[in-house]
Amino acid sequence: QVQLVESGGGLVQPGGSLRLSCAASGRISAYSRMGWYRQAPGKERELVALIHPSGNTRYGDSVKGRFTISRDVRKISVQLQMNMLKPEDTAVYYCNVVTAGWGSEHWGQGTQVTVSS
C-alpha cells in the first residue's frame, strides 16, 4: 500500500501565496511521475503540475508562470509553490503518484485551497 500525506492548504487572499507538500510512504521505492491535480465544485479534476525524477515538469495552462513544482531527491516528495493566487484557483488539491515498474497510480486525500478576500 502507498500512502500520500499532503499539507499546506488553507485560506489566502487574491495575489497571495501558498506552498503545498506531499510525501509518499509505504510500498514505493521509486516513481515515474508525481504531482498535483485539483477539482473545483462542479468541475472535472484537472492537471496542475507534474514532475518526473529527471526534473522534467508539466503544468496546466491556467497555472503556468504562477506555480512551480519541485521534488526532494532524497525522498519521494514534491512541493508546489503557488504564487499570484486567484479566486479561480480555489479547489481541492490532490497529490498523485505513479510508481515506477508496475505503474500503479495513487491519490492523496486532498487539501483545500481557498482564495478569497
Side-chain angles (χ1 to χ4, degrees), residues 6-7 10 16 19 36 41 56 58-60 67 90 104 109 117:
E6 303 148 328
S7 62
R19 185 176 177 87
W36 297 90
N56 289 340
R58 177 184 170 195
Y59 294 92
F67 291 11
T90 296
S104 60
Q109 291 188 328
S117 55

Side-chain angles (χ1 to χ4, degrees), residues 47-61:
L47 169 70
V48 178
L50 291 175
I51 192 165
H52 297 267
S54 63
N56 289 340
T57 58
R58 177 184 170 195
Y59 294 92
D61 289 341

